[in-house]
Amino acid sequence: MNAVALHRSPWGRARDLLACALIVVGVTIPMAAFAQALSIINGDVTQKVALSDLRAMSDETFTLYDPYQGRDVEMQGLAFRTFLIEQFGEVPPALHFTAWDDYEVTLEGWDDPSWYLITAEDGDPLTIRSRGPARLVERDYGDRDVENLREFNDWIWMIRSIEAKW
């Protein structure tokens, strides 16, 4: 087999470099931008809450046994009921959640003070890799068995948007 050297013009190399640069930019800009805000949707109105603002609102810190990690975790967040009233004026009868991994679910019954919107864990802001940037957890487990993860399937991770369903 004979090897043949391919000669490319400077314009061909420039085109290839530009294509590579566009691919890198196309991949990195959405990654940098996608976890910068939480979308709050109320009918036809969509508002963005910056994650920095959401973290600043997170005024409660508590230690909770996280059944998914199998250990006590210091969580920082805010009462979800209070957040909903601030955003929608009242607690909507149902909420539709969309996560960064495209998981979607609509759930009812959020007028419960035991739910918290978590933005930091063990002192570090939540990221996509740590099931953030925002996560809903229940502070009071009641009589549920922490060894049975199915009893915690209403915890919602990686929240990208929250839509009120009236």
Side-chain angles (χ1 to χ4, degrees), residues 60-136:
E60 294 196 41
T61 301
F62 53 89
T63 300
L64 178 69
Y65 181 81
D66 183 336
Y68 294 97
Q69 296 183 56
R71 66 181 181 90
D72 286 338
V73 177
E74 182 183 79
M75 296 189 181
Q76 183 176 351
L78 63 149
F80 190 51
R81 183 181 186 283
T82 303
F83 177 76
L84 292 175
I85 292 170
E86 288 174 3
Q87 298 301 315
F88 299 112
E90 62 181 293
V91 177
L95 296 170
H96 181 80
F97 297 91
T98 302
W100 285 107
D101 62 357
D102 293 326
Y103 171 79
E104 292 187 49
V105 66
T106 301
L107 298 171
E108 299 176 351
W110 293 104
D111 199 4
D112 180 345
S114 68
W115 285 98
Y116 280 79
L117 188 61
I118 303 301
T119 60
E121 184 177 88
D122 292 331
D124 295 322
L126 292 179
T127 65
I128 297 292
R129 287 183 179 238
S130 59
R131 298 174 287 146
R135 178 186 328 152
L136 272 174

Side-chain angles (χ1 to χ4, degrees), residues 1 9 14-15 43 50 66 91 109 125:
M1 181 177 264
S9 73
R15 184 191 67 224
D66 183 336
V91 177

Side-chain angles (χ1 to χ4, degrees), residues 3 16 58 143 146 163:
D16 292 346
S58 297
D143 59 353
V146 295
E163 179 179 359

